[in-house]
């Protein structure tokens, strides 16, 4: 799972970012001022940093340039309410990789995040292939042996969580958090039903799965 550091001081925006990113299968941590953002950013272990410009203590431009000075190469997407082109240049000069102007749609931010992660990790590829299947997340399409297979948006989200975590055992709770959203009232049984349905769509022999493997007492593991 890609780990994203959010540096943002507006509580409402933090909440909606966290919720949306978790739903996309990302892990997040949040810093609510520039000082804390800088510390966490330097600590490392992030695949991406989302960095607000207007922050208490240290502004986003300085956080970005300090991180770059410290040798941190993690992709940075800057967020700002300002719209002037000059700010955009300052942002990119200070070491940001991309720039999103508030208010922005979560859809747009997601696309920017994927673009940044794609540069650094194969896990963020838009089209993933396994067995005789191919999933195009941008187009929300699943193909098997080259032919389109009907999937629900929820099945596709669940499949994406599996595909982005190959070889890793995922508990039903982890799957619920990542594919439905933290705190969603989804039962373990519903997860099993979705896995059952997905197997019928991606497995040659759904009763003897090769890709979506049940791990007794723990959850499921995806194998390519
Ligand atoms: Ca702010």
């Amino acid at each position: 799972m890609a780990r994203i550091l959010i540096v943002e001081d507006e509580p409402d925006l933090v909440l909606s970012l966290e919720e949306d990113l978790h739903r996309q299968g990302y892990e997040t941590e949040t810093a609510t001022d520039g000082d804390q953002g800088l510390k966490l950013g330097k600590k490392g272990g992030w695949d991406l940093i989302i960095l607000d410009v207007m922050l208490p203590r240290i502004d986003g431009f300085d956080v970005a340039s300090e991180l770059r000075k410290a040798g941190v190469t993690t992709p940075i997407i800057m967020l700002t309410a300002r719209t002037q082109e000059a700010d955009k240049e300052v942002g990119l000069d200070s070491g940001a990789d991309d720039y999103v102007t508030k208010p922005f749609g979560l859809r747009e931010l997601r696309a920017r995040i994927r673009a940044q992660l794609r540069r650094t990790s194969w896990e963020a590829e838009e089209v993933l292939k396994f067995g005789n299947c191919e999933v195009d997340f941008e187009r929300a399409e699943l193909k098997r042996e080259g032919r389109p297979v009907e999937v629900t948006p929820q099945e596709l989200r669940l499949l994406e969580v599996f595909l982005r975590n190959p070889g890793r055992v995922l508990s039903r709770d982890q799957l619920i958090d990542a594919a439905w959203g933290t705190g969603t009232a989804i039962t373990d049984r519903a997860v099993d039903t979705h896995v059952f349905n997905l197997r019928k769509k991606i497995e040659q022999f759904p009763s003897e799965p090769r890709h979506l493997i049940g791990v007794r007492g723990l959850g499921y593991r995806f194998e390519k």
Side-chain angles (χ1 to χ4, degrees):
M1 259 176 235
R3 300 186 73 232
I4 299 180
L5 173 62
I6 302 169
V7 189
E8 168 65 65
D9 60 322
E10 284 167 48
D12 288 350
L13 183 54
V14 168
L15 272 182
S16 64
L17 282 176
E18 285 175 343
E19 192 184 281
D20 191 67
L21 295 178
H22 293 167
R23 198 172 295 151
Q24 305 305 310
Y26 302 122
E27 285 177 18
T28 68
E29 199 162 323
T30 299
T32 52
D33 67 54
D35 192 32
Q36 197 192 357
L38 188 54
K39 277 187 192 131
L40 284 173
K42 279 183 180 169
K43 205 174 87 182
W46 310 106
D47 297 294
L48 179 86
I49 299 171
I50 296 174
L51 179 61
D52 187 30
V53 169
M54 303 293 278
L55 287 167
R57 302 168 76 92
I58 307 176
D59 77 27
F61 296 136
D62 287 342
V63 172
S65 58
E66 287 298 318
L67 286 174
R68 292 303 184 234
K69 267 186 228 160
V72 176
T73 56
T74 313
I76 296 175
I77 298 177
M78 278 207 162
L79 307 178
T80 184
R82 304 186 201 174
T83 51
Q84 287 89 355
E85 200 61 25
D87 281 345
K88 185 168 179 169
E89 280 167 29
V90 176
L92 296 175
D93 282 350
S94 67
D97 297 275
D98 200 359
Y99 203 91
V100 178
T101 307
K102 291 178 186 175
F104 53 85
L106 289 172
R107 211 184 142 82
E108 185 197 351
L109 182 63
R110 268 181 233 149
R112 304 290 188 93
I113 289 172
R114 280 198 301 267
Q116 289 302 322
L117 291 176
R118 200 161 45 224
R119 292 173 37 213
T120 49
S121 161
W122 71 270
E123 288 185 3
E125 285 297 331
E126 299 296 351
V127 180
L128 293 180
K129 293 177 186 168
F130 62 94
N132 53 13
C133 296
E134 186 178 316
V135 189
D136 184 333
F137 292 107
E138 196 79 313
R139 302 165 69 109
E141 277 178 0
L142 167 65
K143 283 184 182 167
R144 185 156 160 226
E145 286 166 349
R147 281 189 294 273
V149 176
E150 222 173 282
V151 274
T152 67
Q154 188 56 57
E155 284 168 353
L156 201 63
R157 274 197 289 275
L158 182 60
L159 185 59
E160 181 165 15
V161 174
F162 279 121
L163 265 58
R164 299 218 188 276
N165 294 278
R168 193 171 148 186
V169 178
L170 298 167
S171 70
R172 290 175 180 78
D173 281 348
Q174 282 174 315
L175 292 168
I176 291 169
D177 284 354
W180 278 268
T182 311
T184 312
I186 292 287
T187 62
D188 288 359
R189 183 88 187 94
V191 177
D192 294 340
T193 305
H194 276 78
V195 170
F196 179 81
N197 291 335
L198 270 176
R199 278 178 177 154
K200 286 194 286 192
K201 297 177 182 188
I202 65 169
E203 300 280 358
Q204 195 173 3
F205 304 108
S207 56
E208 294 166 51
R210 277 191 45 209
H211 302 295
L212 287 183
I213 320 279
V215 183
R216 193 179 290 271
L218 292 175
Y220 294 98
R221 188 184 67 231
F222 172 76
E223 295 292 348
K224 285 195 256 182

